[in-house]
């Protein structure tokens, strides 16, 4: 009833909703408990089994069945064999698994089954042997076989097994289980023994738990074996087979030809094969051939050498053919002496196609059959040569992909890609199929699938597939040495365009080609920076590296994409440097939003006179005396800084250190400036002169006038340096 109710409601879950289902679950739960509580196991019992149960060792497994008596359920009895718990009081005698009994040895065991709350039930199982013993014998002999026996290879010993029960003897040879301790010495089946090799082996026969054994000492009836011829065999590939004879020496002294009976083996079938003593050369190498018979063996070394030193195909490069082309005759030759003509073995060689669907070959005649790639192989007396053949579909049109090719003198390159259109309209790479020619061999030649530049100039390379062709212009330049950019760092305003840097190519002959940016191929390291029509455009603030490639040379430029700088402030506003000294320039850039950034090292600096100073980053180094203008650009904005370079002043020296004068005297003193590097300059007129006591002396531009008696010090100051002259007036 409950199950019926559940099924009717299952299809209505979506309509009833979760609250109703919860209520239903609470309603059904007590009924479920009641149904479970109504079924009670009263007892269990074995079905139709004697107690005690008699079993014999090695009998087939015996299956017990257990039933339960039940009240309050839908049935009064049911089988519970698999659900019951099973135990054996002595599992060494009887093993039990889900009611299945296996008799292992003589004795007894109590088998107990338990199921739920019912009382356990127990069955006594007695196990005995069906026979008192078993004995190995020999056919036709009533006596048991000895425990050990000497036999010789070549014999076929056979044994029987007799089972004894009291005075009754039963032949159980065919029903017994026969085993060998070493199948490499002897094997056994239903008492029949097959001797394999010399050695000792134990044969065991087992039946109904009883067993017997016999030990066999297996020896060879022969002392040794010889092969004729007995020395090393030497062949050349393609030679006829040679016969070996195997002779076995019996222990009794007789020789016996065992060539046909012996087992012949080759150590390497890719060098030689052997059958019934016939040795056939296959390929170059060294191996052994061995004959084995009834425990004796002998081997001989075999060497196979190549019949010819070298082999050559008439084509030494991959072939490219149209499917519609006529068959091509391939030829193969062998050679042994450089002073003799090669021998044509085309007809004698074995020809193979790795894919006959694509191309077939017979007697060296190659026939293209269908588009694809195939390997054609010619083999002759251990030598082989192969050529790869590519078969193309019929081509209706040929187009060379690049519009122009650049090269340089002495260089070479792969031929440009030639693309063909087949009859279905599909594109096919026909670069290797096409026949290539140059309109100007003095400038460019075509050799071995490459173009080779001879001298500067222009030529046309033409690719032809039958009567379809296309051409491309190739320009040969001087050999390039270095590709230079006029800027190493570029700042690009987000969303705006800037010009690409200018490029200069320096050639090995010293010539230069300026402004070749349009000829170079530019690439950006990030999609955040676009290159189009000679312009750079930054999409979002980021950093990138631009790479320009031309004639195999590269130049790189660092690009920074940022917000627009609206104002730049440079410090200092003018720059004065001592010769060979350096100083940094600080430039601060201000964005529209008021933020600032240091851009001194990012700017592109130039000096009005390159001999005056050099700039690296934001550091200026003085190179020569003089004046000039330092110009920095960033985002199209410019700052200019006046620049003065002069030598560093070491000291100033007056012409006399002191003077003894009289009232009314006048005396002139000169002043000399000494600079680093040894330069001296008269700076008398440029210095600032003062007197410590104008009542004793006055001074103007180094001219001293005495005004009274006493002492005074005349001081000269020039460019931060000071010099003095002591004045004494009496």
């Amino acid at each position: 009833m409950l199950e019926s109710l559940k099924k009717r409601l299952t299809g209505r879950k979506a309509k009833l909703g979760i609250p109703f289902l919860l209520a239903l679950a609470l309603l059904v739960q007590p009924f479920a408990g009641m149904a479970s509580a109504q079924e009670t196991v009263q007892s269990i019992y074995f079905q139709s089994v004697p107690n005690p149960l008699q079993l014999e060792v090695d009998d087939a497994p015996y299956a017990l069945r257990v039933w339960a008596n039940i009240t309050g359920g839908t049935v009064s009895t049911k089988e519970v064999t698999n659900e019951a718990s099973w135990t054996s009081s002595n599992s060494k005698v009887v093993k039990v698994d889900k009611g299945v009994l296996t008799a292992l040895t003589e004795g007894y065991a109590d088998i107990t089954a338990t199921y739920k709350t019912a009382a356990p039930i127990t069955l006594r199982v007695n196990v005995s042997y069906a026979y008192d013993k078993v004995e190995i014998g020999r056919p036709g002999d009533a006596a048991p076989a000895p425990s050990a026996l000497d036999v010789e290879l070549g014999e076929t010993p056979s044994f029987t097994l007799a089972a004894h029960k009291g005075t009754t003897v039963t032949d159980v040879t065919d029903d017994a289980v026969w085993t060998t301790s070493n199948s490499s010495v002897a094997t056994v089946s239903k008492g029949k023994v097959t001797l394999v090799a010399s050695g000792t082996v134990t044969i065991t026969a087992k039946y109904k738990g009883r067993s017997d054994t016999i030990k066999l000492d297996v020896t060879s009836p022969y002392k040794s074996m010889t092969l004729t011829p007995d020395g090393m065999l030497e062949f050349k590939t393609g030679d006829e087979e040679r016969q070996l004879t195997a002779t076995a020496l019996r222990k009794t002294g007789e020789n016996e030809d065992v060539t046909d009976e012996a087992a012949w083996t080759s150590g390497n079938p890719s060098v030689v094969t052997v059958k019934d003593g016939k040795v056939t050369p296959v390929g170059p190498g060294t191996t052994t051939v061995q004959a084995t018979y009834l425990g004796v063996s002998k081997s001989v070394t075999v060497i196979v050498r190549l019949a010819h030193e070298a082999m050559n195909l008439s084509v030494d490069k991959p072939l490219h053919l149209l499917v519609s082309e006529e068959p091509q005759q391939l030829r193969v030759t062998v050679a042994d002496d450089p002073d003799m003509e090669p021998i044509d073995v085309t007809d004698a060689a074995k020809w193979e196609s790795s894919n006959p669907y694509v191309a077939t070959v017979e007697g060296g005649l190659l026939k293209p059959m269908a588009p694809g790639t195939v390997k054609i192989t010619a083999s002759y007396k251990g030598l082989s040569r192969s050529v790869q053949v590519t078969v193309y579909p019929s081509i209706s049109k040929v187009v060379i992909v690049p519009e122009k090719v650049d090269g340089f003198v002495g260089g070479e390159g792969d031929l440009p890609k030639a693309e063909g259109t087949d009859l279905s309209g599909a594109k096919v790479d026909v670069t290797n199929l096409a026949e290539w020619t140059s309109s100007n061999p003095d400038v460019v030649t075509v050799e071995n699938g490459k173009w080779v530049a001879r001298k500067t100039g222009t030529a046309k390379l033409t690719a032809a597939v039958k009567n379809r062709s296309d051409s491309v212009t190739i320009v040969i330049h001087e050999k390039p040495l270095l590709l230079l950019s006029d800027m190493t760092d570029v700042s690009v305003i987000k969303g705006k365009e800037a010009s690409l840097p200018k490029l200069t190519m320096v050639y090995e002959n010293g010539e230069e080609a300026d402004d070749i940016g349009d000829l170079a191929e530019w690439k950006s390291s990030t999609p955040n920076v676009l290159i189009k029509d000679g312009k750079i455009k930054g999409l979002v603030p980021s950093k990138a590296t631009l790479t320009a490639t031309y004639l195999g040379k590269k130049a790189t430029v660092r690009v920074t994409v940022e917000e627009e700088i609206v104002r730049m402030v440079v410090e200092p506003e003018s720059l004065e440097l001592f010769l060979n000294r350096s100083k940094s320039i600080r430039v601060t850039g201000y964005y529209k939003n008021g933020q600032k950034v240091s851009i001194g090292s990012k700017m592109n600096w130039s000096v009005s006179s390159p001999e005056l100073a050099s700039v690296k980053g934001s550091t200026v180094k003085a190179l020569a005396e003089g004046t000039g203008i330092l110009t920095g650009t960033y985002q199209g904005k410019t700052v200019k800084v006046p620049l003065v370079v002069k030598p560093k002043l070491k000291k100033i020296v007056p012409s006399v250190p002191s003077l003894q004068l009289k009232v009314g005297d006048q005396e002139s003193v000169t002043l000399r400036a000494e600079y680093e590097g040894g330069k001296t300059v008269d700076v008398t007129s440029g210095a600032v002169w003062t007197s410590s006591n104008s009542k004793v002396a006055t001074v103007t531009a180094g001219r001293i006038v005495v005004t009274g008696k006493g002492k005074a010090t005349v001081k000269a100051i020039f460019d931060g340096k000071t010099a003095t002259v002591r004045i004494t007036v009496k």
Side-chain angles (χ1 to χ4, degrees):
M1 179 185 73
L2 292 174
E3 290 299 316
S4 175
L5 178 60
K6 289 180 182 179
K7 289 179 179 179
R8 282 185 292 163
L9 291 175
T10 299
R12 301 176 62 189
K13 286 181 181 179
K15 296 180 180 181
L16 295 175
I18 293 176
F20 179 85
L21 295 176
L22 290 174
L24 177 63
L26 293 173
L27 177 64
V28 170
Q29 188 173 3
F31 284 94
M34 290 172 61
S36 177
Q38 288 175 354
E39 183 177 288
T40 303
V41 179
Q42 297 295 323
S43 62
I44 58 175
Y45 61 92
F46 292 113
Q47 176 182 324
S48 304
V49 60
N51 193 353
L53 175 65
Q54 300 294 328
L55 297 178
E56 291 180 344
V57 178
D58 274 1
D59 267 354
Y62 187 95
L64 297 176
R65 298 179 70 184
V66 171
W67 290 76
N69 292 313
I70 299 172
T71 59
T74 57
V75 295
S76 60
T77 61
K78 70 174 182 180
E79 185 176 2
V80 295
T81 304
N82 290 334
E83 292 83 359
S85 298
W86 295 85
T87 59
S88 171
S89 64
N90 190 346
S91 58
K92 292 183 179 179
V93 175
V94 180
K95 183 177 69 173
V96 62
D97 181 24
K98 293 185 178 181
V100 178
L101 307 180
T102 303
L104 302 176
T105 188
E106 192 172 44
Y108 73 89
D110 292 326
I111 305 302
T112 301
T114 304
Y115 180 68
K116 290 190 175 180
T117 57
I121 56 175
T122 301
L123 173 69
R124 171 64 60 90
V125 180
N126 295 321
V127 181
S128 60
Y129 286 103
Y131 297 94
D132 300 330
K133 64 178 180 179
V134 293
E135 289 181 326
I136 293 176
R138 286 185 282 190
D141 191 348
S147 59
L149 191 65
D150 292 334
V151 292
E152 288 186 341
L153 293 168
E155 295 179 3
T156 56
S158 184
F159 300 99
T160 61
L161 187 67
H164 296 262
K165 183 70 173 179
T167 60
T168 303
V169 179
T170 305
D171 187 343
V172 295
T173 304
D174 291 343
D175 299 322
V177 177
W178 295 84
T179 59
T180 174
S181 64
N182 189 345
S183 59
S184 64
V185 175
T187 60
V188 61
S189 175
K190 295 185 177 182
K192 295 179 176 61
V193 178
T194 301
L195 303 179
V196 179
S198 299
T200 300
V201 65
T202 298
I203 302 298
T204 300
K206 186 177 181 181
Y207 184 71
K208 295 291 185 179
R210 298 298 192 183
S211 63
D212 193 16
T213 61
I214 183 170
K215 181 180 179 182
L216 302 180
D217 187 11
V218 185
T219 58
S220 173
Y222 300 99
K223 292 177 61 178
S224 62
M225 177 186 283
T226 57
L227 295 179
T228 306
D230 60 354
M232 181 173 64
L233 290 182
E234 294 193 55
F235 292 90
K236 284 189 175 181
T237 51
D239 282 356
E240 296 295 324
E241 65 183 26
R242 294 172 65 180
Q243 179 69 53
L244 286 175
T245 301
T247 303
L249 175 63
R250 283 191 171 272
K251 291 179 179 178
T252 55
E254 299 91 357
N255 282 315
E256 187 175 326
D257 187 337
V258 295
T259 303
D260 295 337
E261 294 83 1
W264 294 87
T265 57
S266 168
N268 189 345
S270 66
V271 176
V272 295
T273 59
V274 61
K275 182 179 181 181
D276 298 332
K278 295 181 179 67
V279 182
T280 304
V282 177
T286 301
T287 188
T288 57
V289 167
Q290 180 172 280
T292 303
Y293 182 66
L294 297 185
V296 291
S297 63
K298 185 67 174 178
S299 63
V300 62
T301 299
V302 183
I303 296 177
V304 180
R305 294 183 171 87
L306 289 171
H308 299 282
E309 185 175 336
M311 181 182 193
N312 292 294
L313 270 174
S314 55
V315 291
D316 57 358
K317 298 175 184 176
L319 285 176
H320 298 271
L321 305 173
L322 283 169
V323 70
S324 57
E325 284 192 45
E326 292 296 319
Q328 289 201 15
Q329 179 64 54
L330 304 180
R331 310 207 68 81
V332 63
T333 59
V334 293
D336 297 295
D337 190 329
D339 296 326
M340 298 180 64
E341 285 293 320
I343 304 169
D344 191 317
V345 293
T346 302
D347 295 335
K350 177 183 177 182
W351 294 85
E352 289 182 304
S353 167
S354 64
N355 188 350
Y357 180 81
V358 175
T360 62
V361 62
E362 185 174 352
L365 188 64
L366 173 65
K367 296 180 180 179
M369 307 299 290
T373 301
V374 64
K375 183 169 75 171
I376 302 299
T377 302
S379 303
Y380 180 73
K381 291 189 176 182
L383 292 171
S384 65
R385 288 292 181 269
S386 299
V387 61
Q388 181 173 293
V389 178
T390 302
V391 180
Y392 297 80
S394 298
I395 300 300
S396 61
K397 184 180 180 181
V398 175
V399 175
I400 297 178
V401 176
E403 297 179 355
K404 179 187 174 185
V405 177
D406 287 293
F408 50 84
V409 176
E412 63 179 33
D414 293 331
L415 291 169
K417 182 180 178 180
E419 197 169 69
T421 303
D422 67 12
L423 301 182
S424 70
K427 302 299 182 184
V428 182
D429 187 341
V430 295
T431 306
N432 294 322
L433 172 67
E435 180 181 352
W436 291 85
T437 56
S438 169
S439 65
N440 191 346
D442 291 337
V443 174
V444 175
T445 57
V446 178
E447 302 174 19
N448 300 321
K450 294 181 177 293
W451 57 260
V452 180
R454 299 300 179 185
K455 68 176 185 178
T456 59
T458 301
K460 282 188 178 295
L461 295 177
T462 299
V465 178
K466 284 199 169 180
N467 58 347
R468 270 71 175 180
S469 64
D470 192 21
S471 299
V472 63
T473 298
I474 182 168
V475 179
I476 305 302
H477 309 262
E478 290 291 347
K479 191 171 184 179
L481 178 64
L482 193 63
L483 183 62
L484 301 175
S485 170
D486 68 337
M487 291 187 289
T488 57
D489 292 275
V490 176
S491 173
V492 179
I493 300 171
K494 183 187 76 171
K496 293 187 177 182
E497 291 184 341
S499 296
L500 284 168
K502 292 182 179 181
L503 296 177
T504 299
M505 175 64 81
V506 181
Y507 297 98
E508 286 190 353
N509 63 1
E511 294 182 1
E512 294 185 5
D514 296 326
D515 200 11
I516 60 167
D518 292 341
L519 301 177
E521 179 185 0
W522 289 88
K523 288 186 178 180
S524 171
S525 62
T526 170
N528 294 333
V529 176
L530 299 181
I531 303 173
K532 186 177 181 181
D533 299 330
K535 300 288 185 180
I536 312 169
K537 185 174 183 179
L539 303 181
V540 296
S542 58
K543 293 182 181 296
T545 299
L546 301 186
T547 302
T549 304
Y550 182 59
L551 298 183
K553 301 300 180 181
K554 297 180 184 294
T556 58
V557 179
R558 294 183 295 270
V559 176
T560 301
V561 181
E562 57 187 336
E563 300 291 344
E564 184 177 4
I565 299 290
V566 296
R567 183 167 63 94
M568 294 188 297
V569 176
V570 61
E571 297 177 84
E573 294 182 352
S574 62
L575 191 61
E576 187 176 276
L577 289 175
F578 292 125
L579 192 61
N580 297 320
R581 296 294 195 272
S582 299
K583 193 172 184 179
S584 295
I585 300 177
R586 181 180 177 185
V587 181
T588 303
Y590 292 85
Y591 296 118
K592 285 182 178 180
N593 60 9
Q595 291 184 338
K596 60 183 180 180
V597 62
S598 177
I599 58 174
S601 59
K602 301 177 183 179
M603 299 185 68
N604 290 304
W605 294 98
S606 62
V607 183
S608 56
S609 175
E611 297 83 9
L612 183 65
S614 64
V615 185
K616 186 175 182 180
S618 61
T619 301
V620 182
K621 183 177 182 180
L623 302 177
E625 289 185 59
T627 60
I629 299 296
L630 186 62
T631 302
T633 60
Y634 193 73
Q635 289 190 3
K637 295 178 175 58
T638 302
V639 294
K640 294 183 179 295
V641 180
L643 175 63
V644 176
V645 178
K646 59 183 181 179
K648 185 177 181 180
L649 179 63
K650 293 171 59 180
K651 61 183 178 179
I652 53 176
V653 180
S655 53
V656 293
S658 61
L659 290 172
Q660 297 284 338
L661 299 174
K662 297 183 292 184
V663 176
D665 285 350
Q666 293 185 8
E667 187 71 33
S668 290
V669 177
T670 60
L671 189 64
R672 184 180 73 255
E674 296 182 0
Y675 294 91
E676 286 184 351
K679 180 180 178 181
T680 61
V681 179
D682 187 330
V683 294
T684 306
S685 59
V688 177
W689 296 85
T690 59
S691 171
S692 64
N693 191 344
S694 60
K695 295 180 178 179
V696 175
T698 61
V699 62
T700 301
R703 186 168 182 77
I704 302 171
V705 177
V706 178
T707 58
K709 293 182 179 181
K711 293 182 178 182
T713 299
V714 172
K715 181 188 294 185
I717 300 174
F718 179 77
D719 205 6
K721 299 293 184 180
T722 303
T724 60
V725 178
R726 296 188 302 276
I727 306 296
T728 303
V729 181
K730 295 184 179 179

